[in-house]
Amino acid sequence: MSLEELSDSYPKSLYLYHLKTKQYELLKEQKDTFLGNAVLSSDKKHLLYSEFSLGDPVFHVMDLDTLDSFGITGEPIGGALSARWADNETVIGPAYSGGAFTASTSGEIAAVPGLEGEPLFSVQKMKDKIYYIPSSAGSLQVLDLNTKEKASLNLDQVSGIFPSPDGKQMLVLQYKESQQTLILCDADGGNQKNIAEGNELGGISWSPDQQMIAYSLKSEVNGTTVYSLYLYDLLTGKSTQIAGDLKNLTTVWSPSGSELAYTEWSEKQTNSRIVHLTYVPQK
C-alpha cells in the first residue's frame, strides 16, 4: 500500500476458489485498496463486497457474468454503513443518512419507507418484514412492510440478527455486561432458546438445510481463555467443537451443506480453512 499509514500492508484482491480443482480465479484487483467482505448471492450470480484503504468501507455489487460493479453510495442514502443480501436480487442495510436502504442488482438504490432518518445499527429482511436495531437503544424492532406498523420484539441489548434460510426463525446475539448470548427464536421473537453463552461470540451462520448452526466462542476455562469453533445440531440440541485456538472468525457454508469454510484474522494475517462434514444434510 502506498499510504504511509499502511506501508507494511499489501492490497487485497477478490478470488473464487474452486473446490473440485483447488484452483484460484482472480475476480478483481485494485491498486492501494483492500477488497473484502465478499458474499455471494444464493443464486451465485452476484457478489456483494467492500473496498477501502483508510476510513469506512464502500460496499459494491458485482455481476459475475460481466464483472461489472457499482457502489452503494450517493443519494438518497449517502452510503451503506453495512450491507447484506435480502434475496437474490436485493441488498439491504443501514444508511449513513439514517434509516435503511435497499439496492437492487441492477443498480437501483432506495430508502426504506417508514425508517427515514432513524439512526440504525443493523438491518435484516425476512419475508415481508424488516428487522432492525436502533443505534440508540439496542432493542430489536420489526417493521411490517404490508401494514407499515412497527413493533418491539422484547429483546434488548441486541448486537446481531441472523435469519434462518426459510425465514421462520432467527438467531439473535445479545450482550449483557461482559457476556454474550446466542438466542434461537421464532420470527416473532417467541420460543426463545439459548444456544451458547460466553465472553465473546462470532462466526455465526446457518447451514442451508437449517439443521446446523456454526459459531465461535471465547470463554474462560479454569482461568484460561479458550477460543473454539462449534457446530450446534438443532435435532439433538447439542454443540460439538470442531476446531480450537481460533480468533476473529467468519464462517460460510457450501450450498450442499457438506462443507463449512472459516476465516480467521490473527491480527497479523488472514487464514482460511474448509471443514468437510460427515453429517447428512436434510433434503
Side-chain angles (χ1 to χ4, degrees), residues 7-275:
S7 59
D8 60 345
S9 302
Y10 293 94
K12 295 183 179 179
S13 303
L14 295 177
Y15 292 85
L16 285 177
Y17 178 75
H18 298 270
L19 287 170
K20 291 184 179 180
T21 64
K22 297 183 179 180
Q23 298 295 311
Y24 293 92
E25 177 186 348
L26 177 65
L27 286 179
K28 184 174 182 178
E29 57 185 351
Q30 192 167 327
K31 183 179 179 180
D32 290 332
T33 305
F34 298 129
L35 303 177
N37 299 315
V39 181
L40 284 166
S41 59
S42 57
D43 63 5
K44 306 179 202 64
K45 293 182 179 180
H46 293 86
L47 185 72
L48 173 65
Y49 69 96
S50 68
E51 63 176 50
F52 69 99
S53 53
L54 287 176
D56 296 319
V58 177
F59 289 87
H60 292 252
V61 176
M62 176 189 291
D63 185 318
L64 290 178
D65 286 332
T66 65
L67 299 187
D68 293 332
S69 62
F70 69 90
I72 305 176
T73 186
E75 296 298 331
I77 66 168
L81 282 168
S82 63
R84 294 178 180 270
W85 287 107
D87 53 48
N88 285 329
E89 299 177 348
T90 311
V91 172
I92 194 168
Y96 275 111
S97 61
F101 73 88
T102 58
S104 69
T105 53
S106 60
E108 298 173 351
I109 302 173
V112 175
L115 295 176
E116 298 94 334
E118 191 171 346
L120 303 180
F121 169 71
S122 180
V123 179
Q124 291 277 13
K125 184 176 182 294
M126 287 198 295
K127 296 187 176 180
D128 57 355
K129 293 180 173 61
I130 290 181
Y131 296 79
Y132 61 97
I133 305 170
S135 300
S136 59
S139 58
L140 185 55
Q141 309 288 315
V142 60
L143 169 67
D144 190 309
L145 294 174
N146 295 323
T147 65
K148 311 302 180 184
E149 295 180 350
K150 299 178 183 178
S152 174
L153 294 188
N154 197 29
L155 282 161
D156 297 325
Q157 296 177 290
V158 175
S159 59
I161 320 162
F162 307 87
S164 64
D166 66 4
K168 295 181 180 179
Q169 293 179 295
M170 60 182 169
L171 294 165
V172 175
L173 187 58
Q174 191 176 51
Y175 61 92
K176 292 182 179 179
E177 297 179 352
S178 61
Q179 290 287 308
Q180 290 185 314
T181 304
L182 185 60
I183 301 170
L184 172 67
C185 63
D186 294 337
D188 62 0
N191 294 320
Q192 296 179 20
K193 180 180 181 181
N194 289 358
I195 298 299
E197 186 175 67
N199 300 115
E200 187 176 304
L201 282 154
I204 300 164
S205 61
W206 291 85
S207 65
D209 65 357
Q210 212 165 298
Q211 181 181 341
M212 307 288 283
I213 295 167
Y215 66 92
S216 63
L217 177 66
K218 172 186 175 183
S219 58
E220 297 292 332
V221 179
N222 297 324
T224 302
T225 301
V226 178
Y227 299 86
S228 302
L229 176 61
Y230 290 88
L231 290 182
Y232 178 85
D233 190 328
L234 274 81
L235 297 180
T236 65
K238 296 181 179 180
S239 290
T240 301
Q241 181 182 343
I242 62 171
D245 195 25
L246 300 168
K247 301 178 183 179
N248 306 316
L249 287 186
T250 58
T251 62
V252 63
W253 293 80
S254 66
S256 68
S258 57
E259 290 93 16
L260 175 72
Y262 66 84
T263 299
E264 176 195 18
W265 167 242
S266 66
E267 299 179 358
K268 292 184 178 179
Q269 65 180 25
T270 300
N271 301 303
S272 296
R273 298 287 187 273
I274 296 174
V275 180

